[in-house]
Structures are given as structure tokens and as C-alpha cells.
Amino acid sequence: MIQLPVIAANRLCIDYKLDKQWVNAINGVSLVINPFETHGLVGESGSGKSTLALALMRYMADNARIESGEVLFYGENLLLKSDSEMRRIWGRQMSLVPQDPLASLNPAYTIGEQIAEITRLHEGLSRPAARQRAVEMLERVRIADPEAVARKYPHQLSGGMQQRVNIAMALSTQPKLLVLDEPTTALDVTTEAVILDLFRSLIQENRGAALYVSHNLGVIAQMCDRVTVLYAGEVMACAPVDELYANPLHPYTISLLASIPRPLPGHETRLPTIPGVAPSLAERPRGCVFAPRCPVALQQCFDEKPPLEETGPGRLVKCHRWREIADGTLPVETPHEPPAAQWPALPGEAHVLNVEGLSKRYGSRTLFSRVAGDESRFVQAVDGVTMRVRARSTLGLVGESGSGKTTLARCIVGLETADEGRILLLDVMIPNMLRRRSRAFLRELQMVFQNPNDTLNPYQTVGQALERTIRRLKTEPLTPERIQARVIDLLAAVRLTPDYAGRYPAELSGGEKQRVAIARAFAANPALVVADEPTSALDVSVQAVILNLLKDLRAREGASYLVISHDLAAIAYLADWIAVMYLGQIVEEGSTEQVYSAPSHPYTEALLSAIPAPDPRIKQGNVRLEGEVPSAAHIPCGCRFHTRCPRKIGAICEQEEPPWREAGSGHRIRCHIPIEDLIVLQNSAP
Amino acid sequence: MLRYIIRRILLLIVTMFITSAIIFALTQLVPGDVARLILGREASPEALEQFRAEFGLNDPAPVQYANWLMKFVTGDWGRSFTGTQGPVRPLVTDRISNSLRLTLMTLVIAIPASVLLGIAAALRENTWVDSAISLLSLSVVGLPEFVTGLVLINGIALGARALGLPATSTVPDNTLADWIRQLILPAITATFVLIGYVSRLTRAGVLDELKKPYVRTAILKGLPRRQVIFKHVLRNALLPTITVIAISFGWLIGGLVVIENVYNYPGLGALMVEAVKQKNLFVLQAVVMVTIFFFALANLTADVLYAVLNPRIRLE
Amino acid sequence: MTDASLTPQSPPYLPRLKRYARALVGMLQQFRARPLTLLGAAIVALFLLLAIIGPHIAPYPYDAIIRGAARLPPSPQHPFGTDRLGRDVFSRVLWGAREIIAIPGLATGIAVFLGTCLGMFLGYIGGWVDEIISRVLDSLLSIPALLLALVMLGTIGPSPVGIVIVIVLLYIPIVTRVIRSATLNIRSSGYIEAARLRGEPVVYILFREILPGVLPALAVEGALRFSYAIFLTASLGFLGLGVQPPSPDWGRMVNEARESYARTPWALWFPAGAIAALVIGVNLLADGLRRIFRYEGQV
């Protein structure tokens, strides 16, 4: 007997209402998920992956409608079922683990009550029995004190715990289909690694099928058996995970995999990029949706939509040229811009920036709270940081949220005023307060911000924004013609044509906005550009363009960078030097090669171990951090990492601040464990 | 939780200090010569001087304020300049319960009506029900109380008379029938003050909640729609409505001033307008201070209620 | 990169006028798609017109007592009838339009201007200055508006200038609070921080970087304030604390007509209807602006 697939979508079309106009978000998607399979659905933002995932549960947003097609759940068409029939399936046979763990829980009810609700409804359990089951479920998701957590409200838990609650809820009826919609995107990388481990074992225990939706090719590689690649609402390829990553057949998959920055090697090479942006849903290309960005597109690709063809057992590809790609006669090479000429390296140890003993604390020390007798709670965001940025180099500052890395950067550029410490720019001490800094200092120190959507004033054209910056920071009087010429020059440097000067930010894509922001930072030849997570809000294919651009501009303008990131892979591509921050202090610094290989600080080790590699053959490391980052209001005594450190050696870690230990030229680790021991420990780890 | 409430109470005290200073400044400092204001243009210099001495008007402003506040807190609210010339306090306290009765009657009608309208509009978003409710609330907001009041008295007069409803309201005795008879028309008029604002914000609150991911979680649990709405959505959506009602209380007070005049109802509002017209300074101060106190108390109650019902604050 | 699709020879700076024109056309289309907003705009326009030309087309002076014409019902001669003294209600309503629009309009304008400046300043600088001033303004807001108006009018005495001052003082805290919170949303944006990093003076940041962003809030708030100001002015008139006789104040006309309602109901309904129509018109317009700008701030 042939086993029925758990879910099979047939030529599914879904429309979305955008500004009173229906646009096609999902266009003829077919997808099969078999029993016991974890199926990955990967795509960039706007590809329609979440819409599709929810549609497979027959759940539609208010502004979406299913145009045509069918969704078969064990052979029954869900689209023909009434809401009340669906209510017997939802929660009992299929469940969702959502993207936003906190917002997906009702703030007004306790955890226990929210989990119990499901079994009371579907299994008719009494209130105490359901309650007991809820506690058991919490235990199954490895929550240490399930009784206590069941009595808590969602806001009292950390993000990782909230997501455990969501999965406990989803699994409490042993559903046949589990849909996980970007379930770890909101979490820090070390927490993500722990949750991914948990998901893996729970999915296996549940013995149902799972659909795992993510934009992250690394997570998909680590989690799934089979993968479907979605682009602009169409399936580009579907294959077993090993084959998809080892032997991709679609030009989109090939380019996408190539454009991911990987931690070492590849430090000197440039990232291949995918030109252009995904088509807007309203103007879907007539032929292949990927053709306008495809490096090997033929005229046929623009005229005629390719069919989704079976290329082997369980392998589908939607490309006119897959045969040529498969037999190796058509190499898919994404465009390479030649790197700009390099400035000669400066002799010796010249520093652009020296930071000495910089501290910043925030307190609820407002006037009113003092009058009202509120106790002052200080948060020590940055605690005595000393570091330097070498001339014409890039320092990467890495750490998880709450590490103080952004505060440190903001203190350096002056957006926050440091409480203590000195900042030396080009060996000259500059005031900590922005208002006291002279124009000469402002010129040398510029910043690129994280969020491309508020980095440009929506009411000013790109040209106005650049002009104003040039005019404010110029070193000599400039005629209007010279300023305009400089605007065009800057736009060219970030690979934008001159007519972008007349556009408003609303007319630019996220990547384009970030390019303008970079141009603005370079308007007056700064010595140091601070970039705060410059690519974290962008898609992988756009991220590669920005990373290349940053590298080129540094070479062209002879500037230095301080780049802040939580993404150790992206930063490895960009940085020559790395500093790792934890709870307001730097715990390790050195060259990129030094930091990314043993010996490392135990925290760095855990960070590296947590990276999900975009290759199913490379398994994630197995060093995991327990617990949560302590609040900066209650910093642990001794080594501030001891509460989570997997290599803690004893009482000394809890009592004494660890010393800096030299591990070779410029490589320092702040740990009680001697360097030699660290090397032994970390090299013996599997 | 306790800290939250203590903070709120401290905040109330600070606010009362500042507002009392504002009221004092507006009534005794801004007009310039209070003595002449009260005694009139023809008063002799001796009389003026005697008045100033008696009320300490020659002292510096902060001293005057401190004395005034001290006396006010200890219950000495001054003397009325008109009518009986008697002390202000009984004059004002008598009226407090009258106004509170009218307020109570209004809230009993207004809160359920406007909250239900708001919920209905949200659950039927973008249908004719929604449009009708939104048009109604927009028009009602636009109608001054004296217009709606007069419509109720005169326009519906025939029907109202038939029901035995009076055009001028007196203080009801303690039977339900009399409460309804005397207060129903003014309370309905006052309801119009609140209904547009409260229903509109309730609608917005429910719509906000409906968009949140936890609603999707509830639906995908397989819960019946009724349970999704009542147990999950409204439990959260109605929390902000508490604050909205407290804020709109301020409007209600303004509205009641006009309404008491329309219906000739002997409440604080009527007394206040009288005091303004007669430049009866101490009565005016007392009425305003008492009203502000009750308004602040209502806000405090709302804050506490909000905190009790909201685990995020309760368990802070 | 979309370089290929662009025409490199196109001029770097597209004509700005064309963009503004396009934005304007877009907004007018938004209006057209909302009949209720259009209705509101039409009502407001009509009353504005009346305020300007009303006194010139009024058949009688506002205080003219027509002999032997007391208590006449509406007729072609007296479209709104005459009151118990024999004054033409139509003429009085026309004359009154000017004050009921000019006083709230002027007051709202001043309050919105001052409140915007103060709100942007407080929202941008923050710190203890913001905290103290905001606390005082919040306390002012904790006094019900009509009460404060009565107290102030009780001391400075009822006059057009007095009412303007009262409304301005009442609305500055409200406008300040709305604009302050709109500013707070913008303050942490990257483009404000970029301006700070190039050393822009505070005045530039407030008026060039922040102001355009709070304009939607400003437009909606201005329209709402205007409607409440009309409401308040009319209520004060009704209580006998507005513009003093014999000049025609709609609120006072309603109050005066109450006593003789049984015999001249029209003397009450026409001014009352005019107030209602004007306020509803402004409200519809404000609501439409709120939807067009997708402004979700406090109402």
C-alpha cells in the first residue's frame, strides 16, 4: 500500500491584498511532505514562505485568499472543509510553532493554563488532568522547574523559554504535522543552538512530519531531510538536503549558497553576489521569475516559464537549463566586480582609535523616580573597555544582545556620552561629549546604522541628504557644482547611478538605502567608520553586495572600520581583528584567524560552536551554553561568564576577576584557565 | 504591585500640589487686585485695605499660597460673598453627592453602551455595521451637550412628557424609579459626551489585539471563535479601555457643567457657573478643587484596576 | 544592482515641483475615495466662506430689531424666522459665523504653533528639562478643560481676546504632548543620529529633520483641536460666558431662545444646527486626515 503524504499542495495560488489591489503571492506551488519527514522551506523575505506554510494549515490572513489549487491532508482537501471541521484538525492534528515567541502567547494567562487549554479541548481532560499534562509537557521541553514555570506569565520568561513553551503547546496532542515558522529567528545564536537541539530530538520523538520554514540556509541544512527553495512565490527547486547543498541544480540556489559568508577560509576572496532585487509581486516577470537576476539566463527564460521538472528521485527543478548545469557543461558564475586598488599598508603599529577604560552605565535615575522614592537601578552597559583599531584595518566587535557592543560603539561616535574613560582619535584625545567635539573630529568619525528603513529622512531626497553632509563636513569652500559632482561620485562609489540623487528613500530597496547610508558616512573622507550591524536587516543575497562594498570603500578611501555584529560568519569576511564582548567587557581579542581557532575564550568557543553551517555535512559544534545572559543590572562576581561557562574550573571563577592571558602576537584571552590548558581542552573536543 | 500603587498615590499628591498652585495662581494672582475684583469698582480705599489685610493679600505670593492651601486642607474654605454670606464648605459639600449621583447614572448607561458599540464595530470591521457606528460616534462627538440636551428635552418632549420625565431634574430620592425618572435624560445627554470617544478607542483596542500573533495561536489551537474572542481577545483589549474611560471622565465633568445648566440640576457644575458669573472667588476655588480631586481619584482607581488586571504590572 | 535598468544620461536632479504635484494629486485622490471626508471638507469650506462673506450678504444687521416682526416662523422673507425681539435669525447666524470660526481658528493656530515648537523641543532634548515641564503640563491636563476655562474666564472676564487666551492655554499642553510623543518616535531614527554626527545645530534638527515627520500628527491634531475649540466656544457662549451681547454668538443665541422655545423653536434650532453641522464637518475632516496619514496617535 502506498503511504499517503501528510500534506500535499497542488498548484496552489494565493493572492494578497496590497493597497486595494490583489497581487499574486504564491503562484502554482506544489509541495509534498511525507510521514516522518522534516521538510525545509527556505526563501528570502517576500518569497511567500510564511504565507505558504500557514496556507498548508488552511490558515489565511484577513488580506489573503486562496485563488486556486488544493491542499491535501492525508488525501483530504482542507480547502473544502468548514471552519468547524478545521477546528477538529487544528491543535489536534497540526500545530504551529511561531516566529515571535512572546507575542504568540496570551499575556493575560499563565503558561500552564495556555497549554492545558489544548488538551481540555481536544482530549476532554479535566482541568487538573490537563494541568498535570501541561507540567509534563514543560518537563519534556527540558524546563528545569516545570511546576513553577506553569504558574508564570509569558512576560516573566526569557525568549528561549517562551519558545520552549510554544513547542510544548504545539506537541501536547502529538500532532501529525508540526509547522515551525522561523522559530529561532528572534533568538540569540547560543540560545538558538540549544533550541535547535531540542527541536531535533522532539521532532524525532513526535514521529509526525514537520515543515521547517527559515530564511537561514544554515539552520535548514542542520534541521531538515528535504528542502524546497521558494523564490517570489514559486518553487525553484526541491531536493534531499545533502543533494541540494552539495549539488545544486538551480542557478538561484547556486548563487544563494555562494553568497553566504562562511567563517574561514575565504578571508581574501570576494563574495559572489546576486544582482538586482526580487521582483515585486505586482510586476511578476512573464518568463522565469529569476531570469532578470540569473547569470545564465537565455532569451527563452524571459519569454517562457520553465516547468517544474523531476530530475531524479525526489528532486525537482524549475529551470530551462538544468540539464547543462547537471552535466557540468554550464558553470554558473555570479558576477565579480574587480576589487578596488588597495591602499598601501601603513608601516608599524599606527592606530586610528584608542579607547581606554571606557565605561557607560544607565540608571533609572530620573527626577521623578527620585522624588517618588524609586530605588535607582543601574545598568552597567560598558565596563572599563580598552581597545584599539589599527589604521586601515577592520575591527569586528562581536557579542550577543545585551553584551554592550552597541553602547560601546555609540559612546565612541558620541551618540552616548561615556561616563569614564578616554577616546583617542588619531592619537588625539577627543571629548566624550558629542557637543564638545570640533568639526574636524566629527568629520573623521562617522557611522552606518543598523536599520535601513530609518537611516534616511523620508522627506529628503538622497541628493539632499548627501549634499547636506558634504556641506557640513567639507574642509574647504565648495561651489554648488563641486558638491553635486561629489554627490555623483559618492553614488558611483556605492554603485548607484546619478539619478538616485533625485529619489526619495521610499523609492529605494533596503539594500539601496544602506548603500546611500554608506555613501553618506564616506562623504567627508572619515578616518574611522563605525558600522552597527550594517547587514543584519538585509537578505543574504543583498548582504553580500553590502559586505563587498564596505570592503571596497575601505580600500578606496583608506579608512578603518569598527564593525559590530552578532553574525560571526559575516564579520569573519570583513574583519582583520576581532574583539569578543560579554556583559560589558571584552573577553577576547586578536586577529580573525586567532580568534576563530583554538585557543579561544570559552564564550567565543560557544559562539563558534553555535553557528549552524550552511552545509549538512558539517555538523554544529556541541558546546552549548546553559541559562540566560544575566541582566547587566546584576553582573555576577568574579568572572562574569562563570554562571554559564561550560569550562568553569572552580570557586576561583566565582570569586576573582580573570586575568588577561597572552596567547601570541596580539591575541589575548581573559580567563582563569591557562592558555596551554585551553588548547588541550579545545583540541580534544570532538 | 504595592510599589506601583504607592508610586501612583505619590504621583496623585504631586499632581494635586501642582494643580492647586495653578488654580490659586489663576484665581488670585492673575486677576491682579482681588480685593477690587470682589468688592467692586466703587469700594473705598479703606475697605479695600481692610479686605487685603483680612485675607493676607499683602503677603508675598508663595506665603499666600501656603496659607491658602493650609486653610483649604484643614477645612476652612472661606466665606461666600453672595447669598447667605455663609461658609463655603457646606455649600459645596451639599452639591457633591448630587453631582456624584448624576455621574453614577451616566456611567451605568455610558460604559456598557460605548464598550459594546466599540466591540461590535471592531468585530464587524469594514462592514456597514462598522461604518454606521463610526458615523454615529463622529456625529455624537460633534454635538455640544446643550444641543443634545435640548433635543432630548424638546424634540422628544412629547414622548418624554408622556413617560412623565421632567424637563428640569431635581435630586432623586432613594427609589430606583425616581432615579430613573429624574436622571435618565441628563444621563443620556452625558452619555453622548463619552460614547463617541470611548467606543472609538475600544474599537481601536480590539482591532489592535485581533492583529496580534497570540490570536492566531488561539485559533490554531482549534478553539471555537466565541472562546477566541471572549477569552483571549477581549480579556486584553478591554484593559486599555479602563484608562480611556478614566481620561474621558475629564470630559464628562466638563459636559456635566453644561448639562446641569440645561436641566437646572443643582450640582457642582451649576454652582460653578453661578460662582463665575458672580465672581464668587472662594466658592469657585472650592468647587474646582473638589472636582479636580474626584477626577484624580477616578484616575487613580483606573490605574490600580489596570494594574490588578494586568499581570505585567501586577507581577513587576 | 538595478544599474542596468537605469538611464545614466537622465539628469541627476528631477524637477522637484513635479514630485510635489504628484504628491498633491495623490492626496486629492485619497480624499475623493472617502465621501465622508469630502463631505466634511465641503462643510468646512462652506462655513469658511460664510465667515468671510456672511456679514456682507446678511439681509439685516445683527442687532436690528424689525418692527412688528417678532416671532415670525421661517418664510422667504426671513428664512430662519425671527426671534422674540423681532431680530432676523438668518442674519444673526450669518454674522455669528465669523466669530465662531475666527476665535477658535486663531486660538487653535497659536496653540498648535507654540505646542509644536515646545513638543518637538521637549521630545528631542529629553532629560530633566523635559521631565519637569512635562509633569507641569500633565498636571494642567488633569484639570478638566471646561473647568479651567471657567476659572480663567471668571478672573479675566469674558471677551473675545479672553476666550482666545483661554483656548491657547488649554490646548498648548495637549498639542505639546502629542507632538512630543511623535518626536520621541523619530528621535532615535538613524537619520537624526546622522544629523547629530555631522554637528547640526538643534534648530536645524528640529525644523528640518523632525518637523516634516510630525506634520501628519500636526495636521490631524490641528483639525481635532479646531473642532473642540468650536465646541468649547459655543458651550461658553451657551453658559453666558462667551462673547457678550448684543453681538451674535451661536451658543448664546441657543440659550436665549430656550426661554421662548414654545413660541419660537426655530430661533433655537437654526443656531444649534449650525454649531452641530460645523463641528461634525470638522470632525469628519479630522477623521479623514487621520486615515489618510495613517496616523494612529492618541485621539
Side-chain angles (χ1 to χ4, degrees):
Chain A
M1 185 188 136
I2 304 166
Q3 215 175 8
L4 277 176
V6 178
I7 276 280
N10 282 333
R11 289 186 301 280
L12 194 60
C13 289
I14 301 173
D15 285 1
Y16 244 97
K17 199 173 190 178
L18 277 180
D19 287 333
K20 296 182 176 172
Q21 184 196 351
W22 288 95
V23 296
N24 189 220
I26 295 291
N27 188 17
V29 165
S30 298
L31 185 84
V32 172
I33 303 177
N34 292 312
F36 313 118
E37 174 181 281
T38 302
H39 194 106
L41 184 60
V42 68
E44 297 180 274
S45 56
S47 63
K49 55 187 186 303
S50 287
T51 308
L52 176 61
L54 288 167
L56 295 182
M57 300 180 76
R58 219 219 71 178
Y59 181 90
M60 290 276 98
D62 287 340
N63 57 346
R65 65 171 186 215
I66 292 180
E67 208 24 46
S68 62
E70 51 185 10
V71 176
L72 303 176
F73 180 62
Y74 286 107
E76 286 184 61
N77 191 351
L78 293 183
L79 304 185
L80 301 176
K81 290 195 181 293
S82 68
D83 272 9
S84 62
E85 286 172 307
M86 279 315 294
R87 277 187 215 116
R88 284 194 288 276
I89 297 175
W90 284 335
R92 190 198 310 224
Q93 303 199 47
M94 47 172 70
S95 331
L96 174 75
V97 180
Q99 172 167 14
D100 186 342
L102 175 60
S104 297
L105 296 168
N106 191 324
Y109 297 104
T110 61
I111 300 298
E113 188 168 353
Q114 295 189 52
I115 301 177
E117 202 173 29
I118 284 201
T119 46
R120 279 170 60 202
L121 180 74
H122 290 297
E123 297 177 13
L125 293 187
S126 67
R127 207 176 263 268
R131 178 82 186 185
Q132 189 50 42
R133 173 77 75 80
V135 174
E136 286 163 26
M137 285 312 298
L138 289 174
E139 209 170 347
R140 254 186 76 195
V141 297
R142 293 178 214 149
I143 284 178
D145 188 357
E147 286 282 353
V149 169
R151 280 191 299 272
K152 289 196 171 173
Y153 287 89
H155 74 276
Q156 296 173 293
L157 305 179
S158 67
M161 292 284 265
Q162 287 156 0
Q163 199 55 297
R164 282 170 207 249
V165 170
N166 276 303
I167 183 127
M169 201 145 76
L171 288 177
S172 54
T173 50
Q174 287 168 301
K176 299 282 190 300
L177 175 69
L178 187 64
V179 176
L180 303 106
D181 183 12
E182 302 257 14
T184 60
T185 305
L187 306 174
D188 264 323
V189 63
T190 57
T191 316
E192 176 183 63
V194 176
I195 298 287
L196 288 182
D197 290 348
L198 179 71
F199 282 167
R200 246 191 304 262
S201 66
L202 289 176
I203 289 171
Q204 219 145 47
E205 280 171 38
N206 187 51
R207 303 190 52 77
L211 176 68
Y212 198 105
V213 182
S214 181
H215 71 284
N216 187 329
L217 284 154
V219 171
I220 292 283
Q222 300 296 323
M223 294 296 296
C224 303
D225 308 320
R226 263 154 49 85
V227 181
T228 294
V229 180
L230 209 59
Y231 180 80
E234 295 184 20
V235 172
M236 295 288 106
C238 175
V241 68
D242 298 316
E243 289 178 44
L244 186 92
Y245 283 80
N247 191 14
L249 289 183
H250 197 284
Y252 175 60
T253 323
I254 298 170
S255 316
L256 202 57
L257 285 168
S259 66
I260 310 173
R262 292 155 205 254
L264 308 183
H267 193 47
E268 285 82 29
T269 58
R270 291 172 58 79
L271 284 174
T273 59
I274 307 178
V277 291
S280 87
L281 296 176
E283 296 158 22
R284 190 178 281 281
R286 192 157 51 93
C288 171
V289 278
F290 187 60
R293 302 175 75 189
C294 182
V296 295
L298 304 171
Q299 192 52 46
Q300 184 195 12
C301 303
F302 287 94
D303 297 337
E304 186 186 321
K305 201 175 271 298
L308 190 62
E309 285 180 85
E310 185 149 9
T311 66
R315 271 203 92 161
L316 302 167
V317 160
K318 194 182 216 170
C319 178
H320 287 301
R321 309 191 71 183
W322 70 268
R323 285 182 186 82
E324 297 160 73
I325 295 170
D327 62 24
T329 53
L330 178 68
V332 178
E333 270 174 16
T334 46
H336 262 222
E337 298 122 1
Q342 205 77 25
W343 280 61
L346 289 182
E349 279 270 288
H351 294 146
V352 181
L353 178 79
N354 278 284
V355 172
E356 292 169 10
L358 192 114
S359 290
K360 173 73 185 175
R361 66 177 181 179
Y362 300 103
S364 61
R365 214 174 35 145
T366 58
L367 191 77
F368 176 68
S369 64
R370 259 180 293 176
V371 171
D374 202 7
E375 81 186 50
S376 303
R377 276 174 294 182
F378 289 107
V379 171
Q380 189 79 44
V382 178
D383 194 3
V385 164
T386 296
M387 66 169 199
R388 56 203 175 169
V389 179
R390 289 164 178 80
R392 288 177 199 164
S393 76
T394 299
L395 174 67
L397 191 58
V398 300
E400 293 175 285
S401 53
S403 63
K405 55 189 193 303
T406 294
T407 308
L408 175 58
R410 292 170 62 82
C411 286
I412 291 169
V413 294
L415 289 171
E416 306 275 345
T417 305
D419 301 322
E420 284 165 45
R422 305 199 305 158
I423 300 167
L424 284 81
L425 186 68
L426 301 166
D427 294 326
V428 183
M429 197 172 120
I430 60 171
N432 289 352
M433 198 181 272
L434 186 64
R435 257 187 301 140
R436 302 236 175 92
R437 292 186 184 175
S438 69
R439 190 164 296 190
F441 291 135
L442 294 177
R443 183 181 303 135
E444 301 294 354
L445 199 50
Q446 284 293 308
M447 186 158 178
V448 176
F449 299 94
Q450 177 174 10
N451 182 355
N453 294 322
D454 74 11
T455 198
L456 301 175
N457 191 330
Y459 300 93
Q460 288 176 6
T461 61
V462 168
Q464 287 170 324
L466 293 177
E467 267 176 46
R468 180 74 193 180
T469 311
I470 296 165
R471 201 169 292 141
R472 287 290 304 179
L473 299 178
K474 62 184 188 265
T475 43
E476 62 206 355
L478 290 177
T479 59
E481 294 74 40
R482 291 277 307 277
I483 291 179
Q484 280 206 18
R486 176 79 180 137
V487 167
I488 292 167
D489 182 44
L490 281 169
L491 286 173
V494 294
R495 313 247 195 290
L496 293 174
T497 49
D499 68 302
Y500 272 78
R503 297 200 191 182
Y504 283 93
E507 301 164 80
L508 307 183
S509 71
E512 287 169 338
K513 285 179 202 165
Q514 207 59 325
R515 283 195 247 175
V516 174
I518 292 168
R520 181 178 62 192
F522 277 98
N525 305 92
L528 178 69
V529 172
V530 176
D532 183 7
E533 305 264 13
T535 61
S536 69
L538 304 174
D539 273 322
V540 184
S541 67
V542 181
Q543 168 178 291
V545 177
I546 299 292
L547 291 177
N548 283 341
L549 203 62
L550 283 169
K551 231 173 175 174
D552 287 353
L553 270 169
R554 190 187 88 189
R556 198 184 100 142
E557 307 277 328
S560 304
Y561 286 128
L562 173 60
V563 182
I564 295 159
S565 182
H566 68 281
D567 182 347
L568 276 80
I571 206 87
Y573 170 74
L574 216 50
D576 312 300
W577 302 87
I578 300 277
V580 182
M581 255 186 117
Y582 185 78
L583 271 183
Q585 280 189 345
I586 290 177
V587 296
E588 176 171 0
E589 59 187 14
S591 73
T592 308
E593 289 79 3
Q594 288 167 337
V595 171
Y596 279 63
S597 51
S600 306
H601 189 280
Y603 177 59
T604 317
E605 189 191 358
L607 284 178
L608 290 169
S609 179
I611 302 176
D615 185 340
R617 289 166 305 184
I618 305 172
K619 288 295 163 210
Q620 253 174 309
N622 57 2
V623 180
R624 294 286 178 269
L625 295 186
E626 288 310 315
E628 314 290 337
V629 184
S631 148
H634 306 282
I635 290 177
C637 301
C639 172
R640 46 192 65 191
F641 186 53
H642 83 253
T643 54
R644 304 174 73 201
C645 183
R647 303 210 181 275
K648 189 173 144 187
I649 49 174
I652 186 171
C653 296
E654 293 166 23
Q655 286 152 8
E656 280 176 44
E657 281 220 24
W660 275 114
R661 294 184 187 275
E662 298 294 332
S665 56
H667 185 204
R668 301 198 298 167
I669 296 170
R670 187 180 267 193
C671 186
H672 285 296
I673 308 174
I675 297 294
E676 302 72 43
D677 297 2
L678 271 178
I679 296 175
V680 173
L681 280 170
Q682 288 165 352
N683 283 338
S684 66
Chain B
M1 170 74 170
L2 190 67
R3 258 190 39 194
Y4 173 84
I5 293 176
I6 291 173
R7 257 186 24 211
R8 289 283 128 178
I9 292 174
L10 286 172
L11 180 66
L12 173 86
I13 293 171
V14 172
T15 308
M16 287 304 295
F17 257 108
I18 300 178
T19 44
S20 65
I22 293 168
I23 296 300
F24 177 79
L26 284 177
T27 48
Q28 291 205 5
L29 301 181
V30 172
D33 193 347
V34 176
R36 192 172 286 285
L37 182 78
I38 288 166
L39 298 183
R41 206 160 298 167
E42 292 83 31
S44 63
E46 296 79 39
L48 286 174
E49 198 43 54
Q50 194 200 337
F51 185 90
R52 288 194 191 108
E54 186 187 343
F55 289 95
L57 294 179
N58 293 326
D59 295 333
V63 177
Q64 280 190 47
Y65 169 65
N67 287 336
W68 173 81
L69 188 67
M70 208 54 196
K71 276 160 91 180
F72 200 88
V73 172
T74 52
D76 177 5
W77 293 1
R79 197 157 50 75
S80 170
F81 297 115
T82 56
T84 58
Q85 306 274 324
V88 168
R89 198 149 71 105
L91 207 62
V92 174
T93 45
D94 280 355
R95 299 285 187 103
I96 292 177
S97 71
N98 297 356
S99 282
L100 283 182
R101 279 174 215 215
L102 182 50
T103 310
L104 185 69
M105 189 72 184
T106 305
L107 293 181
V108 166
I109 300 173
I111 293 177
S114 46
V115 168
L116 286 178
L117 280 184
I119 294 172
L123 295 183
R124 300 268 179 280
E125 195 198 358
N126 294 333
T127 64
W128 66 269
V129 179
D130 186 22
S131 312
I133 292 175
S134 130
L135 184 63
L136 175 81
S137 70
L138 278 175
S139 332
V140 158
V141 161
L143 294 172
E145 304 84 10
F146 60 89
V147 177
T148 45
L150 292 170
V151 169
L152 286 178
I153 292 177
N154 298 314
I156 315 170
L158 299 174
R161 290 286 137 68
L163 291 170
L165 297 177
T168 59
S169 299
T170 55
V171 183
D173 54 35
N174 286 330
T175 62
L176 185 65
D178 199 45
W179 270 64
I180 293 174
R181 210 177 85 85
Q182 297 295 344
L183 298 182
I184 190 83
L185 284 184
I188 290 177
T189 314
T191 296
F192 285 136
V193 181
L194 298 182
I195 202 163
Y197 181 72
V198 176
S199 69
R200 213 134 62 108
L201 287 190
T202 304
R203 174 183 179 273
V206 174
L207 285 180
D208 260 9
E209 288 305 313
L210 279 173
K211 286 194 196 90
K212 293 196 175 161
Y214 74 78
V215 180
R216 184 181 66 191
T217 307
I219 293 173
L220 289 181
K221 277 178 179 175
L223 292 172
R225 183 176 157 79
R226 209 168 357 98
Q227 217 169 329
V228 172
I229 299 292
F230 283 93
K231 183 174 173 189
H232 286 273
V233 176
L234 292 188
R235 173 71 174 73
N236 291 296
L238 295 187
L239 268 182
T241 308
I242 296 173
T243 316
V244 168
I245 290 171
I247 293 171
S248 60
F249 213 71
W251 296 17
L252 179 60
I253 290 171
L256 286 178
V257 171
V258 177
I259 289 165
E260 288 179 0
N261 277 282
V262 171
Y263 289 92
N264 289 325
Y265 182 78
L268 284 173
L271 181 64
M272 181 171 173
V273 173
E274 223 173 280
V276 171
K277 283 183 179 162
Q278 298 167 344
K279 298 201 181 349
N280 204 341
L281 189 66
F282 294 145
V283 175
L284 182 61
Q285 283 174 344
V287 175
V288 174
M289 287 305 294
V290 165
T291 317
I292 293 173
F293 176 72
F294 276 104
F295 182 40
L297 210 60
N299 273 313
L300 179 70
T301 315
D303 281 347
V304 171
L305 200 61
Y306 185 83
V308 170
L309 292 176
N310 187 350
R312 286 186 200 222
I313 296 180
R314 189 172 70 222
L315 302 170
E316 194 192 326
Chain C
M1 272 166 262
T2 45
D3 301 16
S5 63
L6 300 168
T7 44
Q9 62 269 43
S10 65
Y13 297 89
L14 287 177
R16 202 170 293 162
L17 266 178
K18 219 164 147 186
R19 289 175 178 282
Y20 289 148
R22 212 193 298 158
L24 197 69
V25 169
M27 221 160 102
L28 289 179
Q29 279 168 346
Q30 293 251 35
F31 267 93
R32 221 178 46 192
R34 295 168 204 278
L36 280 182
T37 310
L38 210 58
L39 177 68
I43 293 174
V44 173
L46 175 71
F47 276 96
L48 279 178
L49 186 70
L50 285 185
I52 297 165
I53 63 163
H56 301 290
I57 59 165
Y60 300 94
Y62 59 82
D63 52 354
I65 296 173
I66 305 152
R67 262 171 211 287
R71 304 189 188 108
L72 291 180
S75 65
Q77 177 102 44
H78 303 287
F80 291 179
T82 60
D83 65 8
R84 67 195 156 115
L85 298 178
R87 293 176 296 188
D88 181 44
V89 177
F90 182 61
S91 300
R92 285 175 64 75
V93 168
L94 281 180
W95 279 96
R98 188 167 278 187
E99 260 159 7
I100 199 77
I101 287 181
I103 291 177
L106 183 67
T108 308
I110 298 173
V112 165
F113 174 74
L114 295 177
T116 303
C117 293
L118 190 59
M120 285 197 304
F121 179 72
L122 293 179
Y124 178 67
I125 63 156
W128 61 270
V129 175
D130 171 42
E131 214 178 319
I132 290 179
I133 297 181
S134 294
R135 183 64 53 203
V136 172
L137 293 179
D138 278 353
S139 300
L140 263 173
L141 281 178
S142 75
I143 306 175
L146 190 69
L147 244 62
L148 204 55
L150 288 179
V151 171
M152 287 195 254
L153 284 180
T155 51
I156 57 182
S159 69
V161 177
I163 297 174
V164 169
I165 294 175
V166 165
I167 295 176
V168 167
L169 290 180
L170 278 179
Y171 288 168
I172 283 179
I174 303 177
V175 177
T176 303
R177 193 157 78 162
V178 170
I179 298 301
R180 178 178 170 273
S181 79
T183 305
L184 282 179
N185 287 338
I186 297 175
R187 183 173 80 157
S188 56
S189 299
Y191 62 90
I192 301 296
E193 306 203 314
R196 289 173 61 198
L197 287 183
R198 57 177 191 256
E200 295 287 4
V202 173
V203 174
Y204 175 89
I205 293 181
L206 291 185
F207 288 93
R208 300 302 294 274
E209 300 279 355
I210 293 178
L211 185 62
V214 302
L215 274 180
L218 200 64
V220 175
E221 193 54 29
L224 273 177
R225 284 305 123 215
F226 184 46
S227 108
Y228 293 133
I230 295 169
F231 196 121
L232 185 68
T233 311
S235 295
L236 289 173
F238 174 80
L239 292 175
L241 297 165
V243 182
Q244 293 304 298
S247 84
D249 178 281
W250 290 356
R252 210 187 55 248
M253 285 164 74
V254 173
N255 194 26
E256 284 168 357
R258 268 168 82 193
E259 285 132 51
S260 56
Y261 177 76
R263 299 172 72 182
T264 57
W266 49 84
L268 189 149
W269 293 127
F270 283 107
I275 294 168
L278 176 57
V279 180
I280 291 174
V282 179
N283 266 335
L284 288 175
L285 184 62
D287 190 60
L289 287 176
R290 195 165 54 82
R291 284 165 201 255
I292 288 172
F293 288 129
R294 295 199 176 85
Y295 170 66
E296 300 296 340
Q298 39 197 315
V299 192

